Amino acid sequence: MKEKKKEKRAGSGLTRRQFVKVTGLGVAGLSAPHIFIPRQARGAGKTLKILQWSHFVPRYDQEWFDNYTQAWGKENDVQVTVDHISLAEIGARTAAEVAAGDGHDLIEWISPPAQFEPSVLDLTDVNQEAVKRFGRQHPLAVRSSYNPNTKKFYGFCHGWVIDPGDYRKSLWDKAGKADGPETWEDLITYGGKIKKDQGIQLGIGLSQELDSNMAGRALLWSYDSGVQDENENVIINNERTVEAVEFMARLFKESMTPEVFAWAAVSNNQALLAGKASYILNSISAYRSAQKQVPEIAKDVYCVPALKGPRGTRWSSEHVIYSYIIPTYSKSVDTAKKFLLDLVDNYDQAMYFSELYNSPAFFDAAVKGGDRGYPAVKGAKNLRDLHNTWFDDDPFRIEGEAKGKLAVLKDAEKWSANVGHPGPANPAIGEVFATFVVPNMLANAARGMSAQTAVEQAETLIKAIFDKWRKKGVVGGTS
Amino acid sequence: MAPEQKKQPHGPFRFRDDPRLLSALMTAPAVIYIALLVGIPFLLAVFISLSDATTGDPSLDYVGISNFRTVIGDPVFRQSLKNTFIFTFASQALVLVMSKILALALMKEFRGKWLVRFLILLPWTAPIALGTIGWLWMFDSIFSPMDWVLRYVGLLGRPGALLGVNSNLYWLGIPGLAMASVTVVHAWRMLPLATVILLAGLTAIPKDILEAAEVDGAGFRQRLFSIIIPLLLPIMSIAVLFGVVFTFTDMTVVYILTRGGPVQSTQVLASWAFFKGIEGGDLAQGAAIALFLFPVLAGVATLMLRLARRTEVN
C-alpha cells in the first residue's frame, strides 16, 4: 500500500505542492522576482532553523535553550534561528510548512507527530547513534517516535514529562488519608468526603482538551483496558472499559462539579492555585506555579504516583513527549542531526532549567564535567543520578517547604506510558486524541448516558478512524 | 467644409478611448484578487476533499466522494452541522434586533453620543481572539464575575436561590448554557458592524418622508413598520448576508471558549473541519467538512442579493 502511494507520488499523481506551484507561478513571477534568487546566493555558511513551543517553564527558554542554541551555533559555525510558538499552533504550522515544502529544519512536537511520517526524514540513524552514545532509550520514547509497521523513526525523542497526581495534604489529612490517594477508588472514598465535609472538589477534566485526554487514558490503562492493544487492534469496547466509565460517572457525582466539562488545559492548575481542588492530575508545572504565585498553597501540595485500578494495575500518561522531526525539505539535515545528538549530551541542563519538568529519554547519558550552570551534584555520573538526587532534594524547593516532596517521582518511568499504550503511537491514535473521543466517552457517562452506550459510541468513532489510517498503511492491526 | 475626420486613438494609452478595454482593465485587479485569494483556495479545497491527502502526505490521489460519504456518516459532523445552523441563526436574530434598536437610538441626539458610538464599535475594532479571551474569563468556572454578581444578589449559591445552590453556573460546562454563551459572544462581536450598516441606512432615509408621515398622524410603530423597515430592507439584507457568512465560517469564538465542548455540543463545521483536518491530520476529510459550508453560503448569498435587488427596484 505504502509503495503504491509512493509510486503515485513520484509518477502521475498531482501533489498539492505541484498544484499550488502551477497556479501560483504567474503571480509569483509578476509580483516578487527577488524570490527566485538562488538560496545559496543569500549568504554562505550553514544555517539551522528550529521551531518549537514556548516552554511551560519560562526559565527553560529564557535562561537556557535560546542561549544554548546560540552558543552551539557559534561553536559549530552554524547560524541558528529559534522560533517559539504556542503549543496549540504546532500542528497547523507544521502542516503549513510541509504543504509549502519550506520552513524550519527541526520542528519539536510535544505529542507524537506520527501523522507526518510521509513528509519527514527517517531518523533511524540518529536514534541508533544516540543509543550507541548514551545508552538505552526509554521505551515510551521509542513508542512515541517509531512506527513498527514501516520500520521508520519519524521523530527523535529526547525527553518526556511526568504526569503525577498533585494533592492538598491538609485536606486529605483531615479526611483520614494524609499521604494522598493510592487508588482511583480513593478519589471517591476520600475525595468525596473532602467535597462533602470541606467543600473542596477534586479536578479531573472531562473536557475537550489535553489534560482530560491524558487523564482518561490513565484511567483506562489502570482498569486494564485502552484504545488499542500492543498490535494496534481497537479494544476499547470491553467490560473493563465499561467498568472504568462507570467509575468515572460515580467519581463525577461524588467528588466533582460540572466545571470539569468546561476546562481548558490550564484550568486544573488554576483550580489548584485558587485552593479549589483537593487533587488534580497534572505535571509538576502546577506545583511550580504555586511555588511562585501562592507559596502557602505550594507548601500544602504533594505528589502521588499513578493511581491503582481495581486489579492493582497503575499507569499514568506521559504529560508531554518531546519529539523533533526533520521535514524532507530541510537542507540542513546533517546539521540538524548533530544538533539532536548534542542536545542529549547536554540534557542535564535541560532538566535543571526546566525545573525538573523535563525528564530524559536517555537516563544513562553521562553528565559532562565543568561548570554546567547549576550547583554541582556530587557523585552524579549520569542523568539517572541527577534525576534521583534532584527529586530527593528539590533544588527549587521554597523556604519552609518540606524536603523530599518529589521523591515519589523517582521511579516515574515504571508507571508512565505513551499515548498509544500498550501499542505504539500512530496517526489513528493521534486523531482519536485530537478529536477528544476518550474524554467525551467519560463525559457522556458522567452526564447520564449509560456506560455501555458511551463506550459503543466511542468505539464507532475510533474504529472509523483506525480503518481509514490502516488503509493508508501506517497503522497495524486488523480490527 | 469637409467633415472633420475622427482621430483614431493610438499609442500606449489608446485603451482610454475603448470602453470595453478600459472596463476590463479597471475590473482586472478585483478579478485577479478574487481568483487568487478565493478561486484557487476554493478549487484546492475541492481537489483535497476528493483525495486522500493528509497533513503529512498532501499528495492528491483521487478517491472520489468517499470522504463526503464518511463525513456524513460521522455523528459528530451531524451534530456540528446542526450546531452551525443554531449558532448562525440565533446569533443573527440577536444581532438583527439589537442592531436595529441601537441604530435607532444612535439616530437621536444626546450627550455623550460619541462615547456610546465608540463603545459600541469597540468589539469590532479589537482583535476577536482578544475579546473572546476576555469573555472566557467572564465565563470562568470558578472566578466568573457574572456568577459573583448573581451570588451577591442572592440568585445563586444558596438554598432556594433561583439559579440553584451551586456556587457557579458553569457557563461553558453545561451544553445549553455553553451554546447560549458562544452565541451571545458572537452576537456581541457582530453587533457593531450591523449597527453601523443600519445606521448608514437610517441616515439615508429622506427626512421629509418621515416628517410627512408624522404630520399625517403616523405613530412610531407605524413609521417603523411601514416606512423605516421597508426602506431599510436592502441594507438590512446586506447586514444579514455579512452576518450569516461571517458566522457560518467562524471558528474563533467556539475554539477559544469551548473547543466544541462539552461533548461536542458547541462544535460547528468550521471548528470540526479544523480539528479533523489539521489537528487530526486528515486533510481530505477536513476539506470535505469545510466544503459543506459552500452550498449553504452560496444559497444565502444568492437569496439575499436577489432580495436586496428586488427591494431596490420596488
Side-chain angles (χ1 to χ4, degrees):
Chain A
M1 177 62 83
K2 194 69 208 150
E3 279 172 13
K4 188 180 164 195
K5 176 98 179 174
K6 276 183 182 165
E7 192 182 299
K8 270 181 163 183
R9 290 186 72 196
S12 61
L14 179 68
T15 68
R16 207 162 87 106
R17 203 171 304 149
Q18 285 166 338
F19 177 88
V20 175
K21 271 181 184 167
V22 169
T23 49
L25 197 61
V27 190
L30 283 171
S31 60
H34 65 277
I35 66 173
F36 293 110
I37 295 170
R39 187 172 284 264
Q40 291 84 345
R42 288 187 198 163
K46 290 182 279 186
T47 60
L48 183 67
K49 287 185 284 178
I50 303 171
L51 178 72
Q52 62 188 52
W53 73 324
S54 298
H55 202 286
F56 273 154
V57 180
R59 175 183 277 182
Y60 181 88
D61 291 339
Q62 291 162 9
E63 290 185 25
W64 182 64
F65 190 78
D66 292 352
N67 297 330
Y68 165 77
T69 47
Q70 291 314 308
W72 182 89
K74 212 170 169 185
E75 198 177 305
N76 292 280
D77 193 23
V78 178
Q79 191 188 330
V80 186
T81 312
V82 183
D83 293 319
H84 294 282
I85 56 172
S86 146
L87 74 96
E89 293 172 52
I90 295 172
R93 184 62 185 266
T94 309
E97 294 195 359
V98 163
D102 198 6
H104 294 82
D105 303 298
L106 278 170
I107 303 175
E108 187 188 54
W109 273 62
I110 61 161
S111 57
Q115 69 271 34
F116 286 96
E117 186 182 325
S119 295
V120 299
L121 293 180
D122 183 356
L123 298 182
T124 301
D125 53 349
V126 188
N127 279 277
Q128 284 172 347
E129 180 62 26
V131 170
K132 208 167 118 189
R133 283 193 205 178
F134 310 116
R136 175 178 173 268
Q137 189 181 21
H138 190 285
L140 78 78
V142 177
R143 280 201 290 266
S144 301
S145 52
Y146 176 70
N147 185 341
N149 303 294
T150 56
K151 313 250 182 280
K152 179 174 172 179
F153 273 97
Y154 50 81
F156 178 76
C157 177
H158 57 82
W160 59 289
V161 175
I162 303 167
D163 197 32
D166 309 63
Y167 75 101
R168 293 275 310 283
K169 197 176 185 70
S170 62
L171 303 175
W172 284 77
D173 195 8
K174 275 187 204 160
K177 191 76 178 164
D179 291 335
E182 292 172 75
T183 66
W184 282 94
E185 199 60 44
D186 284 347
L187 295 183
I188 292 183
T189 312
Y190 300 97
K193 201 172 167 196
I194 292 169
K195 187 188 170 206
K196 197 176 158 203
D197 299 341
Q198 303 177 57
I200 307 286
Q201 64 271 31
L202 64 81
I204 292 177
L206 293 172
S207 179
Q208 303 198 165
E209 53 90 24
L210 207 63
D211 289 359
S212 303
N213 250 324
M214 292 168 197
R217 279 161 179 79
L219 175 69
L220 291 186
W221 299 330
S222 300
Y223 270 70
D224 306 293
S225 187
V227 173
Q228 66 172 10
D229 65 13
E230 63 272 31
N231 298 316
E232 300 172 81
N233 294 301
V234 176
I235 54 148
I236 194 149
N237 190 359
N238 64 63
E239 58 192 22
R240 294 178 303 283
T241 304
V242 174
E243 189 185 3
V245 174
E246 280 169 350
F247 167 82
M248 184 51 87
R250 275 196 300 129
L251 179 64
F252 170 73
K253 200 175 156 196
E254 297 291 330
S255 315
M256 299 201 279
T257 68
E259 69 184 303
V260 294
F261 296 126
W263 272 8
V266 74
S267 302
N268 51 11
N269 299 37
Q270 288 171 342
L272 187 76
L273 266 61
K276 295 281 187 183
S278 63
Y279 171 94
I280 64 166
L281 202 48
N282 205 335
S283 67
I284 61 167
S285 61
Y287 163 62
R288 292 288 186 226
S289 302
Q291 284 180 313
K292 290 172 188 116
Q293 294 168 34
V294 268
E296 288 315 305
I297 293 277
K299 286 174 192 169
D300 195 31
V301 172
Y302 284 69
C303 293
V304 285
L307 303 175
K308 288 177 189 160
R311 288 162 287 276
T313 310
R314 64 170 184 174
W315 285 110
S316 176
S317 172
E318 39 74 12
H319 190 74
V320 160
I321 192 100
Y322 297 104
S323 202
Y324 274 109
I325 53 173
I326 304 180
T328 47
Y329 60 69
S330 171
K331 293 179 179 64
S332 303
V333 176
D334 292 338
T335 310
K337 287 178 177 177
K338 180 168 182 358
F339 178 85
L340 295 178
L341 292 168
D342 288 349
L343 179 65
V344 177
D345 204 22
N346 289 282
Y347 218 75
D348 54 332
Q349 294 180 323
M351 291 159 68
Y352 183 83
F353 286 98
S354 68
E355 298 176 1
L356 312 190
Y357 185 80
N358 284 25
S359 286
F362 297 90
F363 276 101
D364 300 330
V367 178
K368 289 170 98 172
D371 179 11
R372 303 295 295 148
Y374 56 81
V377 176
K378 208 176 166 187
K381 291 192 176 69
N382 54 34
L383 299 182
R384 161 67 65 197
D385 296 335
L386 280 181
H387 176 89
N388 287 350
T389 308
W390 281 336
F391 277 129
D392 268 335
D393 188 5
D394 180 8
F396 304 100
R397 180 159 49 101
I398 56 175
E399 205 180 323
E401 205 172 5
K403 193 181 167 187
K405 284 169 76 173
L406 300 177
V408 294
L409 308 184
K410 279 196 297 185
D411 67 346
E413 75 272 16
K414 290 181 185 158
W415 42 264
S416 298
N418 62 296
V419 171
H421 175 80
N426 61 46
I429 284 290
E431 190 177 334
V432 171
F433 195 93
T435 51
F436 316 111
V437 180
V438 171
N440 281 343
M441 172 182 75
L442 297 167
N444 272 326
R447 293 178 42 75
M449 185 184 280
S450 86
Q452 184 63 53
T453 309
V455 174
E456 281 166 9
Q457 282 190 0
E459 186 194 31
T460 306
L461 296 172
I462 292 170
K463 282 205 157 173
I465 292 169
F466 266 73
D467 287 346
K468 179 182 67 188
W469 287 102
R470 216 171 259 140
K471 280 180 196 159
K472 294 179 196 290
V474 287
V475 174
T478 51
S479 60
Chain B
M1 196 174 173
E4 197 179 326
Q5 204 164 4
K6 202 177 173 183
K7 223 177 173 180
Q8 286 299 317
H10 63 276
F13 298 107
R14 66 178 179 277
F15 65 83
R16 282 187 308 194
D17 297 318
D18 184 342
R20 284 174 58 192
L21 197 61
L22 187 62
S23 65
L25 213 66
M26 297 296 272
T27 52
V31 172
I32 291 170
Y33 176 84
I34 290 169
L36 287 179
L37 296 183
V38 180
I40 291 177
F42 175 73
L43 285 177
L44 189 55
V46 173
F47 286 131
I48 291 173
S49 71
L50 298 172
S51 75
D52 65 349
T54 65
T55 48
D57 183 4
S59 59
L60 300 176
D61 300 313
Y62 181 72
V63 295
I65 59 164
S66 67
N67 287 316
F68 289 91
R69 271 202 294 263
T70 311
V71 158
I72 290 168
D74 179 0
V76 183
F77 168 77
R78 294 198 296 269
Q79 171 85 45
S80 306
L81 189 63
K82 189 175 128 196
N83 292 342
T84 307
F85 278 99
I86 295 172
F87 178 55
T88 303
F89 291 115
S91 63
Q92 285 317 295
L94 261 177
V95 166
L96 209 56
V97 174
M98 293 301 296
S99 61
K100 188 79 180 57
I101 294 169
L102 276 176
L104 282 171
L106 289 174
M107 285 291 286
K108 305 276 179 201
E109 289 303 325
F110 57 89
R111 242 180 116 180
K113 185 173 162 180
W114 68 270
L115 182 67
V116 176
R117 279 194 178 189
F118 170 74
L119 290 175
I120 287 170
L121 272 175
L122 212 53
W124 187 254
T125 53
I128 176 61
L130 206 61
T132 312
I133 288 172
W135 278 102
L136 185 64
W137 293 337
M138 296 283 279
F139 291 130
D140 191 273
S141 304
I142 299 171
F143 304 109
S144 166
M146 293 183 295
D147 287 351
W148 185 87
V149 171
L150 292 171
R151 279 197 301 272
Y152 189 77
V153 298
L155 291 172
L156 183 69
R158 62 174 67 167
L162 185 68
L163 297 172
V165 292
N166 285 329
S167 59
N168 292 80
L169 273 181
Y170 310 116
W171 295 93
L172 305 176
I174 311 285
L177 268 180
M179 184 48 112
S181 302
V182 294
T183 304
V184 166
V185 172
H186 193 75
W188 167 83
R189 177 217 181 176
M190 297 299 299
L191 193 58
L193 176 69
T195 305
V196 169
I197 291 174
L198 290 191
L199 202 55
L202 277 176
T203 47
I205 294 175
K207 276 194 176 154
D208 53 343
I209 298 179
L210 291 171
E211 282 165 4
E214 210 169 342
V215 169
D216 289 344
F220 174 74
R221 276 184 60 181
Q222 272 180 304
R223 290 202 307 275
L224 179 68
F225 289 106
S226 305
I227 300 171
I228 297 174
I229 289 182
L231 287 176
L232 269 183
L233 263 183
I235 204 149
M236 273 169 74
S237 308
I238 299 299
V240 171
L241 174 64
F242 270 115
V244 168
V245 172
F246 272 130
T247 313
F248 237 93
T249 52
D250 182 79
M251 63 168 273
T252 317
V253 173
V254 166
Y255 185 76
I256 291 175
L257 289 185
T258 63
R259 295 161 311 284
V263 281
Q264 312 286 17
S265 61
T266 58
Q267 197 70 269
V268 290
L269 287 186
S271 54
W272 186 235
F274 177 76
F275 282 121
K276 200 78 176 165
I278 302 296
E279 300 282 292
D282 192 338
L283 212 52
Q285 274 195 25
I289 293 165
L291 279 175
F292 266 89
L293 300 167
F294 176 69
V296 179
L297 294 177
V300 170
T302 310
L303 194 77
M304 289 297 178
L305 290 174
R306 274 191 182 178
L307 183 70
R309 190 177 162 77
R310 196 184 308 156
T311 323
E312 267 174 13
V313 171
N314 288 342

